[in-house]
Amino acid sequence: MRLPPEPLRLSRSPALLALALPLAVALAFSDETLDKVPKSEGYCSRILRAQGTRREGYTEFSLRVEGDPDFYKPGTSYRVTLSAAPPSYFRGFTLIALKENREGDKEEDHAGTFQIIDEEETQFMSNCPVAVTESTPRRRTRIQVFWIAPPAGTGCVILKASIVQKRIIYFQDEGSLTKKLCEQDSTFDGVTEKPILDCCACGTAKYRLTFYGNWSEKTHPKDYPRRANHWSAIIGGSHSKNYVLWEYGGYASEGVKQVAELGSPVKMEEEIRQQSDEVLTVIKAKAQWPAWQPLNVRAAPSAEFSVDRMRHLMSFLTMMGPSPDWNVGLSAEDLCTKECGWVQKVVQDLIPWDAGTDSGVTYESPNKPTMPQEKIRPLTSLDHPQSPFYDPEGGSITQVARVVIERIARKGEQCNIVPDNIDDIVADLAPEEKDEDDTPETCIYSNWSPWSACSSSTCDKGKRMRQRMLKAQLDLSVPCPDTQDFQPCMGPGCSDEDGSTCTMSEWITWSPCSISCGTGMRSRERYVKQFPEDGSVCTLPTEETEKCTVNEECSPSSCLMTEWGEWDECSATCGMGVKKRHRMVKMSPADGSMCKAETSQAEKCMMPECHTIPCLLSPWSEWSDCSVTCGKGMRTRQRMLKSLAELGDCNEELEQVEKCMLPECPIDCELTEWSQWSECNKSCGKGHVIRTRMIQMEPQFGGAPCPETVQRKKCRIRKCLRNPSLQKLRWREARENRRNEQLREESDGEQFPGCRMRPWTAWSECTKLCGGGIQERYMTVKKRFKSSQFTSCKDKKEIRACNVHPC
């Protein structure tokens, strides 16, 4: 005979309470009969009973966030996968996101929002719309949803899942169905993820890097090194994704170590030049002594560099000196846009990094090599109590520098799919500064050889080389630049300078494969830039096609995509524009690999011809001086309208205002009012009295110092008696006075129910001269009547405060 199983009772712990209602819906699709006893307990909370067995310590089910991050960026979308390892499966499930240490019974306990990918698989719960559950009751091994991270300031978030398989309910607080993500701290803002996609931009772009040091005694007052503070020479380069100068989580090379510990760029420059095929420009800028100076005293260090389609990343480093191995910089900053153009401007606030080669904790710690070497990481405010950045509350480190990377010119034919705006046009019209020869005077070279033939025989981009010979090196401590020089080039007939041939543009990026699984076709095209002068027809092909394979034989690495959405509106209201459409990954490959199918498409669109002329603006002027001489103020800059306003609409701003910070204004010492004078410290003869006041604000930034906080002056009550016989006479008189007073008290004693009380004694001396003391006095029983109760006739005591003025 089959006995009915024991009902499962879910505990009301905070972790399970948040999952109670989702489990109720998930269990509705179980094979077994469910005995539910709903009881409303607030937002998304329910106690239920269900047949089943609770299991813990399992590994066949897992909750995974794509990329396995430990931190989330506010507002960023993350793909969340709930899966079962074959041959396991699940029928019901629930997914919910809670703020850390919250029970889930209030709406504000939930963090972020879920986004449904496949409505046939997932849906929001009707009674708990913040949770996701299954749409249909069937066996499954995987579901996916998007989770949009909450806004900044939310703190850590717990993603929790529950699984229902037959009669078994799976849940854990600290297991494979729970994922904790904490808000990414501002110290990680300088981290640049390694690019995945290739750059599709055409031509080259030239940039200017400007470094603004903000590390000063005002911004970072703790243990600030006043005499030796500086930024070392900047060293870096523009490079391809195949070369890494330095990166978060990697190990410092010998060149990076010398920059971080010694501020010497020599070894790192040597390492960069050894990667000549992967590097387009070596970036160098002078050191800055001291670390912070107003811009009107000395210009900020700057350097110019170029990028192209293959070498579109830039990295640099500079030492924060003095320090054990602390530095700032950027790693693999991508200057190529998804729209096949070049970034106009990058502004990045920088925090200090630890190179992992020295274990010192203060600015001027003695040399202490880290053995074994540790990975490069950002400094935090909780690294060590002696650290100059230490904060017991774990706050973020105030940024120490800012780097501005601004595009100053573009060369060659551009192929960005988004039309140029006015800033692009003005930037390209600006005159380009002539490159400076940075060859040291101590290096004697031969003349450059002629340029070699181009490595490309077609209109694809190649490179050519020239060489020179180092004849003499007068100073061995000063490194000499490389003896080879490279330049991008194209094959014969592709140069704009050759007008007698058919000049073609570069090939535009390959189109997507015609199918999403198996073998299909893809194409690319180019156009004629210049026809032959003799009027002949260009015979060079303008289109190419080739076979392409996407997930051959539709293997487990295939991914299932949704249908393309409708095209967006054209980006332009007149003339040439761009329109886009999107689709999403319906199901990722079963083998856990990344889905390589594209999720967006863009194509050109033509609107009615424009009849207005866009406004042309001059470059921005230099920033004005700060509006104040100390502390926080404002500064402005302007630009002018170069085209006639009546020829077209021009809504661009002509003036910008931003905050500026100069050294803090002096703050004088502030004191409280004087306290009352104390009592004389002697009962006879000469004594003194004092009064005090407190410091409310210490002087700062050179303000007026604090005056005295204690004042003393003499006091004299009466002379002390020195004649012994006279003293005895006085004692006798005093004794008689006390006896008479006692007799009066006995006759005048207060009457209380059941007893007669003696008068109150005099108040005792104060226990403290200042700062708040205590005085006491007593009333004792003189006579107790026989009819009185003991509890109603007893001694009495009073207490009061005294000398409450501050010390």
Side-chain angles (χ1 to χ4, degrees):
M1 182 176 69
R2 181 180 178 185
L3 297 176
E6 276 293 314
L8 170 67
R9 301 176 184 270
L10 300 185
S11 69
R12 294 184 59 194
S13 66
L16 301 183
L17 188 60
L19 296 176
L21 179 58
L23 281 172
V25 177
L27 285 168
F29 302 116
S30 173
D31 287 341
E32 304 298 327
T33 303
L34 302 183
D35 177 20
K36 295 181 290 184
V37 182
K39 179 181 178 181
S40 177
E41 293 202 352
Y43 194 83
C44 292
S45 297
R46 174 180 291 185
I47 298 175
L48 71 120
R49 298 174 182 173
Q51 295 175 345
T53 303
R54 171 174 174 169
R55 288 183 51 187
E56 296 181 354
Y58 55 88
T59 58
E60 61 264 41
F61 300 105
S62 65
L63 173 68
R64 181 175 178 266
V65 179
E66 188 174 27
D68 295 321
D70 293 323
F71 301 92
Y72 68 84
K73 293 181 180 179
T76 302
S77 177
Y78 296 89
R79 187 188 303 274
V80 180
T81 303
L82 188 59
S83 60
S88 298
Y89 65 91
F90 56 94
R91 293 179 179 274
F93 73 93
T94 297
L95 187 59
I96 201 164
L98 295 175
K99 297 176 184 176
E100 190 175 26
N101 299 323
R102 297 293 182 93
E103 296 186 23
D105 55 353
K106 299 176 182 177
E107 183 175 0
E108 57 266 26
D109 291 353
H110 299 262
T113 56
F114 287 105
Q115 180 178 334
I116 299 297
I117 295 178
D118 189 346
E119 294 182 354
E120 295 181 359
E121 286 288 327
T122 55
Q123 66 178 7
F124 292 108
M125 299 188 65
S126 58
N127 295 329
C128 183
V130 293
V132 177
T133 188
E134 72 282 347
S135 297
T136 56
R138 66 175 183 84
R139 291 190 180 198
R140 52 176 55 82
T141 59
R142 170 188 298 233
I143 65 97
Q144 288 188 332
V145 295
F146 284 119
W147 177 68
I148 314 301
T154 303
C156 294
V157 176
I158 311 294
L159 293 172
K160 293 176 176 289
S162 65
I163 294 287
V164 177
Q165 182 199 37
K166 291 187 177 180
R167 292 178 296 162
I168 302 172
I169 303 172
Y170 297 80
F171 49 84
Q172 277 191 330
D173 288 348
E174 298 295 337
S176 59
L177 290 180
T178 300
K179 176 69 176 178
K180 179 178 179 180
L181 297 175
C182 290
E183 183 177 344
Q184 178 171 301
D185 189 78
S186 60
T187 56
F188 292 90
D189 289 345
V191 180
T192 303
E193 296 180 357
K194 187 175 181 179
I196 298 177
L197 299 177
D198 292 333
C199 177
C200 59
C202 300
T204 63
K206 190 170 185 179
Y207 289 88
R208 179 182 291 112
L209 178 153
T210 308
F211 182 85
Y212 299 94
N214 192 40
W215 174 48
S216 65
E217 189 173 10
K218 175 194 62 166
T219 59
H220 300 81
K222 183 180 179 183
D223 302 331
Y224 186 76
R226 297 186 177 182
R227 291 179 295 176
N229 62 84
H230 70 282
W231 296 106
S232 74
I234 293 173
I235 182 67
S238 57
H239 57 93
S240 72
K241 66 178 183 179
N242 299 324
Y243 175 46
V244 178
L245 278 73
W246 71 278
E247 65 178 344
Y248 171 43
Y251 290 98
S253 66
E254 183 61 30
V256 172
K257 177 182 177 181
Q258 290 192 15
V259 171
E261 292 189 15
L262 308 175
S264 170
V266 177
K267 181 63 178 177
M268 189 169 176
E269 182 177 354
E270 179 183 330
E271 292 176 352
I272 295 173
R273 292 190 181 277
Q274 287 175 353
Q275 300 288 331
S276 57
D277 289 342
E278 307 297 336
V279 176
L280 182 61
T281 308
V282 177
I283 300 172
K284 296 193 293 183
K286 296 180 180 180
Q288 183 172 343
W289 293 77
W292 182 87
Q293 289 183 347
L295 292 180
N296 57 3
V297 174
R298 180 181 179 183
S302 65
E304 294 181 1
F305 64 94
S306 298
V307 291
D308 61 15
R309 175 180 289 188
M310 295 303 298
R311 294 156 293 190
H312 52 96
L313 309 177
M314 70 81 59
S315 304
F316 80 91
L317 270 183
T318 177
M319 176 202 185
M320 187 178 184
S323 69
D325 59 346
W326 302 341
N327 54 87
V328 302
L330 288 181
S331 173
E333 183 72 26
D334 195 349
L335 299 176
C336 182
T337 68
K338 294 180 180 179
E339 292 77 21
C340 304
W342 299 109
V343 173
Q344 286 186 358
K345 190 173 184 179
V346 175
V347 179
Q348 187 71 266
D349 288 326
L350 306 176
I351 51 94
W353 293 78
D354 189 323
T357 60
D358 193 292
S359 299
V361 296
T362 64
Y363 289 125
E364 301 180 89
S365 293
N367 188 37
K368 185 180 179 182
T370 302
M371 301 298 292
Q373 183 174 336
E374 296 179 352
K375 294 181 179 180
I376 299 173
R377 65 172 183 86
L379 293 178
T380 72
S381 58
L382 295 175
D383 285 338
H384 195 280
Q386 295 180 5
S387 167
F389 307 106
Y390 181 72
D391 180 0
E393 297 182 359
S396 59
I397 293 179
T398 303
Q399 53 93 5
V400 295
R402 170 176 289 185
V403 63
V404 177
I405 304 169
E406 197 163 12
R407 198 184 75 215
I408 55 177
R410 293 182 300 178
K411 290 183 179 179
E413 187 70 25
Q414 301 298 310
C415 58
N416 46 307
I417 60 178
V418 175
D420 285 347
N421 58 27
I422 298 304
D423 287 338
D424 280 319
I425 298 172
V426 174
D428 287 341
L429 292 176
E432 190 177 341
E433 297 178 8
K434 185 178 179 180
D435 292 333
E436 297 180 359
D437 184 7
D438 57 355
T439 303
E441 296 178 354
T442 56
C443 301
I444 309 300
Y445 289 92
S446 66
N447 293 329
W448 285 106
S449 69
W451 286 103
S452 68
C454 189
S455 62
S456 172
S457 59
T458 67
C459 289
D460 289 334
K461 183 167 291 185
K463 64 180 179 180
R464 59 181 182 171
M465 182 189 72
R466 63 177 181 173
Q467 294 179 312
R468 60 181 176 177
M469 185 173 62
L470 180 62
K471 292 183 175 180
Q473 187 173 0
L474 304 181
D475 187 353
L476 296 179
S477 65
V478 178
C480 292
D482 210 317
T483 57
Q484 292 182 331
D485 188 18
F486 295 88
Q487 189 179 70
C489 60
M490 291 187 293
C494 298
S495 172
D496 290 338
E497 299 174 356
D498 188 0
S500 64
T501 60
C502 182
T503 303
M504 308 296 292
S505 69
E506 291 187 3
W507 288 105
I508 298 175
T509 310
W510 286 104
S511 67
C513 200
S514 59
I515 63 172
S516 60
C517 186
T519 302
M521 299 296 293
R522 66 175 184 171
S523 63
R524 65 175 181 174
E525 59 182 16
R526 61 181 176 177
Y527 56 90
V528 178
K529 291 174 60 178
Q530 181 177 331
F531 287 91
E533 293 181 355
D534 58 7
S536 60
V537 178
C538 285
T539 59
L540 295 175
T542 58
E543 185 176 2
E544 283 185 348
T545 59
E546 69 175 17
K547 291 183 178 180
C548 55
T549 302
V550 180
N551 298 331
E552 188 173 4
E553 298 178 0
C554 297
S555 64
S557 62
S558 302
C559 57
L560 186 61
M561 307 294 294
T562 62
E563 295 296 326
W564 285 107
E566 296 294 328
W567 287 103
D568 296 337
E569 292 184 2
C570 192
S571 62
T573 56
C574 63
M576 181 68 73
V578 175
K579 61 180 181 180
K580 296 182 180 180
R581 65 176 182 174
H582 307 273
R583 63 178 177 177
M584 293 192 299
V585 178
K586 197 171 184 180
M587 181 172 290
S588 291
D591 60 4
S593 61
M594 296 292 292
C595 188
K596 298 180 181 179
E598 62 179 359
T599 57
S600 63
Q601 285 184 341
E603 69 175 26
K604 297 179 181 179
C605 52
M606 177 63 74
M607 302 298 286
E609 185 178 354
C610 300
H611 297 286
T612 58
I613 300 176
C615 57
L616 291 179
L617 300 167
S618 67
W620 286 106
S621 67
E622 295 295 327
W623 286 104
S624 66
D625 293 336
C626 201
S627 60
V628 297
T629 56
C630 62
K632 296 180 180 179
M634 304 296 291
R635 62 177 187 171
T636 61
R637 66 175 183 175
Q638 296 84 25
R639 59 181 176 181
M640 297 177 61
L641 187 64
K642 298 174 68 175
S643 61
L644 297 176
E646 59 269 15
L647 295 180
D649 296 331
C650 187
N651 298 320
E652 299 292 334
E653 60 179 350
L654 300 178
E655 183 176 26
Q656 286 184 344
V657 181
E658 72 172 12
K659 296 178 181 178
C660 52
M661 174 67 76
L662 293 177
E664 293 285 356
C665 301
I667 299 177
D668 296 337
C669 176
E670 294 183 9
L671 300 168
T672 62
E673 297 295 329
W674 286 106
S675 66
Q676 298 295 324
W677 288 102
S678 66
E679 296 181 0
C680 195
N681 68 332
K682 296 289 183 68
S683 58
C684 65
K686 296 180 180 180
H688 67 268
V689 294
I690 62 173
R691 67 174 181 176
T692 60
R693 57 182 175 181
M694 307 290 288
I695 297 177
Q696 287 184 324
M697 175 71 74
E698 294 282 357
Q700 299 181 46
F701 313 113
C706 293
E708 62 181 357
T709 57
V710 179
Q711 285 186 348
R712 182 193 308 260
K713 68 179 181 180
K714 295 178 180 179
C715 60
R716 183 166 183 171
I717 300 178
R718 57 183 175 80
K719 286 186 177 182
C720 297
L721 301 176
R722 296 183 180 180
N723 190 329
S725 58
L726 184 60
Q727 185 73 27
K728 291 180 181 180
L729 179 61
R730 293 291 177 86
W731 286 348
R732 190 177 299 114
E733 291 177 354
R735 193 162 49 248
E736 290 295 331
N737 290 337
R738 284 198 299 273
R739 185 179 296 113
N740 295 335
E741 182 66 25
Q742 185 176 359
L743 291 175
R744 284 195 302 273
E745 289 178 355
E746 290 178 354
S747 60
D748 298 336
E750 295 188 36
Q751 184 75 28
F752 279 81
C755 61
R756 185 187 300 274
M757 306 295 291
R758 291 187 175 87
W760 287 101
T761 64
W763 289 101
S764 65
E765 292 187 1
C766 193
T767 57
K768 292 184 180 180
L769 294 177
C770 61
I774 294 175
Q775 286 179 306
E776 300 175 340
R777 69 174 183 174
Y778 301 86
M779 178 187 287
T780 59
V781 177
K782 180 178 180 182
K783 183 177 180 181
R784 184 179 291 108
F785 302 124
K786 293 181 180 181
S787 60
S788 68
Q789 297 180 357
F790 181 78
T791 56
S792 64
C793 188
K794 55 184 179 181
D795 295 343
K796 300 183 183 299
K797 175 183 177 181
E798 284 187 348
I799 299 176
R800 72 177 183 184
C802 57
N803 291 341
V804 294
H805 56 274
C807 297

